[in-house]
Structure formats: C-alpha cells, structure tokens
C-alpha cells in the first residue's frame, strides 16, 4: 500500500482499514522522480496534492540572491502539499532532495472525500496541523538554538519521524542529504556545518558519513538539541518503543 506510513502511530488519530483503502483509491498516479527536481513552483495553480512514498522532499524559499532556505523536510508517509488543496497556490517551492516515489491525489478526489467521508477529511486536516506543529519547532530551533543545537535537534527529529516510518532502528538511518542541505535547513554556512559535524563526532554524540547517520548517544544528543518530541504527537505505545531505543 502507498498509504501505509501516513499518520502511522500518531496520538489521537487512527485510519480505519476502509479509510486507508479510500485514500488508496484516490491516488491517480505514482511517479518516480529524480533527486533535485522541483515538483511545485510557488504561485502555480494546483489541482493535485502529493503523498511521499519513498525518499526525501523539501519545501523552500529562495532569497533575491538565489540562496535557499529550507522550510520543511518531508519523510515517507508525509502528505507534502495537502495545504495546497484549500489554498490552490503555494508561497514556496517543493522539490526532491533525493530520488523519490510520490503518489498523486487529485483535488477532485479530496473534494469527494470531504463530502462523503468527513471523518477521513478530519484526519487529513490533522496531517496539516501536524505539519504546522513541526514548523513551529523549526522556528524555535532557528531562533533559540546555537549551531550545534540546531543540527542536533534536526537529527533527533528526523530520527523520530523515520522510526515511525520504519526507516530507522532508533540509532541509524539512511540520509541522502548533504552538508549543504543541513546548512540550508539550519541557517548556517557549509563551513560551519562541517565544524558542527566534527564537534558531534568528537563529543561522541553522532556520526554523519556516507549518507548514513549513526546516533551514538540519543539521550545526550536530544539534550544538546533541546529536543522534546511532544510536538510530533507520537502515540504513547510508539513513544515508549522509541524511548526504549535510547
């Protein structure tokens, strides 16, 4: 199933078998997209939304000099631009960071779900609210944490989200992003990120190499990044399993 990771193990929401089947039926097309390809351009009128099945996507804004600030990173199971359904246009671009597989859901299908399956529509709304919670955490990270804290927080968040997707064992996960991507995520220069990665390694907190992240001390890394996963709304049973991996 293309939707099996969507809203998996989230607190206060559970997709029934029939609801997941309804979402599967709403998928019009599945596309495989190369890395570093733009999927949505800011200002374009949208008629479909994108569910990420495999790979990493991002939302970003370029400044007047062409420098990019990543506003969000999406992992498998995320409904990346569901907010484009009511808004019709986005104020930012959406692109692949790695090679990705995406499922396309037309807005006409979402309109039908809205009319005929209000409980499922509410759960789709839940997904957009979850995106907003993650965005607030990103604002906190950029506004209040130092450079090491920013990278530590992002890696802890990504690890938790990938655990829910079944793509991390709690300590190791494949990570196709580059140091340049980390710099654009954390508001740092590439040189600064290189120093941060070295500091995390020397403090025996985390290793970042060859597209693989290995968290050596999850508890200390979370403390260094002031990471509290409450905003991810993880179900208690899944949160307990995640804590047990520390």
């Amino acid at each position: 199933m293309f939707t099996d990771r969507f809203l998996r193990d989230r607190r206060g929401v559970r997709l029934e078998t029939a609801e997941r089947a309804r979402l599967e039926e709403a998928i019009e097309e599945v596309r495989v997209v190369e890395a570093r390809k733009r999927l949505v351009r800011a200002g374009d009128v949208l008629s479909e939304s994108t569910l990420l099945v495999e790979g990493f996507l991002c939302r970003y804004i370029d400044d007047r000099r062409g420098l990019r600030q990543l506003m969000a990173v999406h992992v498998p199971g995320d409904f990346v631009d569901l907010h484009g359904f009511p808004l019709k246009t986005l104020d930012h671009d959406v692109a692949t960071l790695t090679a990705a597989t995406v499922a396309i859901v037309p807005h006409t299908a979402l309109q039908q779900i809205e009319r005929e399956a209000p409980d499922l529509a509410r759960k789709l709304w839940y997904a957009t609210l979850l995106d907003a919670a993650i965005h607030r955490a990103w604002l906190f990270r950029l506004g209040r944490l130092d450079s090491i804290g920013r990278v530590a927080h992002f890696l802890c968040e990504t690890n938790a989200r990938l655990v829910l997707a079944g793509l991390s064992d709690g300590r190791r996960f494949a990570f196709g992003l580059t140091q340049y991507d980390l710099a654009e995520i954390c508001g740092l220069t590439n040189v600064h990120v290189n120093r941060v990665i070295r500091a995390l390694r020397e403090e025996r907190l985390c290793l970042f190499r060859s597209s693989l992240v290995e968290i050596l001390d999850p508890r200390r890394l979370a403390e260094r990044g002031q990471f509290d996963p409450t905003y991810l709304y993880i179900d208690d049973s899944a949160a307990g399993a995640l804590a047990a991996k520390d």
Side-chain angles (χ1 to χ4, degrees):
M1 295 180 72
F2 298 113
T3 64
D4 60 349
R5 291 178 172 133
F6 178 59
L7 292 181
R8 180 193 288 179
D9 293 327
R10 300 293 183 173
R11 187 168 71 249
V13 63
R14 184 173 71 88
L15 261 66
E16 303 296 339
T17 301
E19 292 174 328
R20 203 169 289 281
R22 182 69 182 264
L23 271 184
E24 291 283 334
E25 292 171 0
I27 295 171
E28 181 179 67
E29 180 186 0
V30 176
R31 302 172 186 165
V32 177
V33 187
E34 296 177 359
R36 313 291 164 175
K37 295 295 184 180
R38 181 162 49 193
L39 300 180
V40 178
R41 186 188 301 270
D44 284 355
V45 177
L46 302 178
S47 61
E48 59 191 30
S49 289
T50 307
L51 176 67
L52 179 58
V53 179
E54 299 288 349
F56 289 89
L57 268 62
C58 69
R59 300 186 227 166
Y60 68 95
I61 296 175
D62 289 329
D63 69 11
R64 293 177 180 176
R65 297 173 295 169
L67 298 177
R68 187 175 66 164
Q69 176 66 48
L70 267 64
M71 317 303 294
V73 169
H74 289 283
V75 304
D78 287 355
F79 229 130
V80 178
D81 53 353
L82 190 57
H83 53 299
F85 170 45
L87 293 175
K88 300 308 177 189
T89 63
L90 298 183
D91 50 24
H92 54 275
D93 293 350
V94 177
T96 59
L97 288 168
T98 66
T101 301
V102 297
I104 305 303
V105 178
H107 288 173
T108 52
L110 293 177
Q111 288 171 341
Q112 191 171 5
I113 288 173
E114 194 174 40
R115 290 193 305 268
E116 300 174 0
D119 284 346
L120 178 55
R122 180 186 62 81
K123 293 169 184 179
L124 294 175
W125 184 27
Y126 180 105
T128 65
L129 296 177
L130 182 59
D131 281 345
I134 294 173
H135 184 65
R136 288 190 292 272
W138 279 48
L139 289 175
F140 163 76
R141 180 169 68 228
L142 288 174
R144 288 300 176 188
L145 299 183
D146 63 12
S147 57
I148 295 178
R150 293 179 191 182
V151 175
H153 187 284
F154 173 72
L155 293 178
C156 286
E157 175 187 280
T158 302
N159 179 56
R161 294 168 71 189
L162 290 178
V163 166
L164 295 181
L167 297 173
S168 170
D169 64 3
R171 289 181 177 268
R172 297 175 187 85
F173 56 88
F175 193 63
L177 278 65
T178 67
Q179 289 188 23
Y180 286 102
D181 295 326
L182 272 180
E184 292 171 340
I185 289 165
C186 297
L188 304 170
T189 66
N190 185 54
V191 172
H192 206 161
V193 167
N194 188 59
R195 292 171 183 162
V196 168
I197 290 172
R198 183 171 66 247
L200 292 174
R201 181 178 66 247
E202 291 172 349
E203 293 180 32
R204 300 297 297 166
L205 295 177
C206 183
L207 299 178
F208 182 97
R209 58 189 178 191
S210 301
S211 299
L212 179 70
V213 171
E214 181 177 1
I215 299 176
L216 304 175
D217 193 326
R219 181 187 59 80
R220 288 178 54 227
L221 186 68
E223 289 177 352
R224 187 63 184 83
Q226 298 187 43
F227 175 70
D228 178 352
T230 302
Y231 67 94
L232 295 175
Y233 291 86
I234 300 172
D235 184 75
D236 290 343
S237 60
L242 181 62
K245 297 177 186 292
D246 290 356

